[in-house]
Amino acid sequence: MVAEKRLVSLEVGTVQSHRQFASPPSRDRGPSSAITMEPGCAYLTGAATSVHLLKLNGYCATATMNSWEYIKSVWSVDGHDWEIRCYPQHRDFGGDWVALQLVFLGEAQPDKPLKVRASLSCRPVDRRGKPLEPSVEKSVSAVFYRPQNSAYPLLLVKRNDTKSPSPYLKNDSVTAQCTITVLKELPVAVIPGPAKEEVPMPMPPSDLHQHLGGLFLSQKGADITFVVSGERFAAHKSIIAARSPVFMAEFFGHMKESHSQRVEVEDMEAAVFRAMLHFIYTDNAPELDVPLEAAVSMAEHLLAAADRYGLDRLKLICERKLSGGVDVGTAATTLALAEQHNCSSLLKAKCVEFIIGSPERLDAVLATEGYKHLAASCPLVLAELLKAAHGRKN
């Protein structure tokens, strides 16, 4: 369903458009340029790339749209037509987003099967195409086998982040620089030498997380419902048990949850549980892909959740995020968190190293409220701090 709003329009401005090949380029629509073969360099693939500015005018009016409504723009890249769908009210993990989706409109050729590899990359920019801070470029890749195949929606920016004043919103417009890249497989390169070896064809990137993420969103086949702070989350026992030893014991052991279709989760916020489920299905935590100041609270809660359910990879991701923000004001509280959740290898070591780095820094940390919390909740850590400080002094 395509939304038709009088105050909403999708404006496309060209930044650049080019194609790259390792051999002389074929004739196609639009400008193109060939890369000169460097001596001793063999190219395995080529790429046709089209870059444009995509501007969503009348942004405030998009608040009246439903999550499934979209506005579209059609591009031509590498002899195929592509559609970029803009969902101004897309609902996904973590709330409402402005999302973009790449849809293949090309037609199959009778003499060969259709198989097109392409990616969509986007990032918010200003009207001149200059990247905005603190935005980062996001991308999604897919293989298209038939017309109307689509890639997984790309989450551009949260609706909450566009509330005035916002760097993303200017004159009731949101602008993004979008790049469609179509991969072109070239003939196998033969390297002169004593023996001729075939260069293996590159493997496509894994799309397992896209399929599992779509399964979680659709809730098809869900056989367990979690109730967290009044919110309900449908999930699949087999998938979450395969990822978490705690869920494995609950659902396939001798615990009472093994026969239950509804589980109450206490002492956890709904947003944290949603982010944890997102990671379980997709191996990704977009809530942490934001500037450190905005991610600290979620990282702390996710670390506790990961430790609770035995998600070691998520726990390490949270540790790395938090270790990058250790300062005088946070060192003691972060050390307490690391001690409570057995994070000795990275986060705890980082906090201890920071605190004993100098006598002045140690005195500053001892004067914080966080140190009082550390002394009350983890008194054994104080002995470790004194021992480490004494060793540094010697």
Side-chain angles (χ1 to χ4, degrees), residues 130-389:
K130 182 180 179 181
L132 293 171
E133 295 293 338
S135 68
V136 295
E137 186 174 59
K138 301 180 179 180
S139 63
V140 62
S141 302
V143 181
F144 303 88
Y145 294 95
R146 60 183 63 88
Q148 296 304 317
N149 275 176
S150 60
Y152 196 71
L154 191 153
L155 307 181
L156 182 64
V157 62
K158 277 191 174 181
R159 294 285 302 195
N160 287 341
D161 294 340
T162 59
K163 294 181 179 179
S164 182
S166 168
Y168 305 113
L169 189 63
K170 187 71 173 180
N171 298 329
D172 200 24
S173 298
V174 174
T175 305
Q177 178 178 299
C178 299
T179 304
I180 297 178
T181 302
V182 180
L183 185 67
K184 300 179 68 67
E185 297 185 5
L186 302 175
V188 177
V190 178
I191 310 299
K196 295 183 178 180
E197 297 181 0
E198 290 189 355
V199 179
M201 298 300 292
M203 292 295 293
S206 172
D207 57 358
L208 177 63
H209 63 288
Q210 298 178 12
H211 295 294
L212 291 181
L215 182 64
F216 176 59
L217 288 176
S218 68
Q219 301 182 4
K220 292 181 179 178
D223 54 359
I224 186 67
T225 299
F226 294 95
V227 181
V228 188
S229 299
E231 290 193 34
R232 296 174 179 268
F233 300 92
H236 306 78
K237 287 184 178 181
S238 297
I239 293 177
I240 61 177
R243 298 278 280 162
S244 163
V246 177
F247 283 131
M248 178 66 77
E250 287 186 4
F251 298 135
F252 298 99
H254 300 289
M255 302 176 69
K256 63 179 181 179
E257 288 86 357
S258 61
H259 302 290
S260 177
Q261 294 182 335
R262 183 177 183 272
V263 175
E264 293 270 357
V265 178
E266 300 178 352
D267 301 325
M268 188 177 297
E269 297 178 3
V272 176
F273 191 81
R274 182 188 299 110
M276 185 184 73
L277 277 184
H278 181 201
F279 177 84
I280 287 176
Y281 278 82
T282 68
D283 208 41
N284 186 29
E287 292 80 4
L288 302 182
D289 293 334
V290 296
L292 181 62
E293 294 78 7
V296 167
S297 178
M298 177 59 74
E300 292 174 345
H301 287 86
L302 267 182
L303 188 148
D307 184 50
R308 176 175 174 178
Y309 288 102
L311 301 171
D312 293 339
R313 174 173 160 78
L314 177 59
K315 183 177 175 181
L316 182 58
I317 292 173
C318 294
E319 284 191 60
R320 289 181 175 177
K321 191 71 175 180
L322 292 171
S323 65
V326 176
D327 56 27
V328 170
T330 63
T333 53
T334 304
L335 178 56
L337 180 72
E339 175 69 11
Q340 292 164 359
H341 296 288
N342 193 27
C343 303
S344 59
S345 61
L346 175 62
L347 189 57
K348 181 178 177 180
K350 178 71 174 181
C351 293
V352 171
E353 180 183 359
F354 176 84
I355 293 173
I356 67 172
S358 67
E360 294 79 14
R361 188 183 300 165
L362 177 60
D363 292 340
V365 173
L366 295 179
T368 63
E369 291 294 324
Y371 178 77
K372 296 178 181 179
H373 168 71
L374 174 66
S377 60
C378 308
L380 295 180
V381 179
L382 303 183
E384 295 183 39
L385 271 178
L386 291 175
K387 182 178 180 180

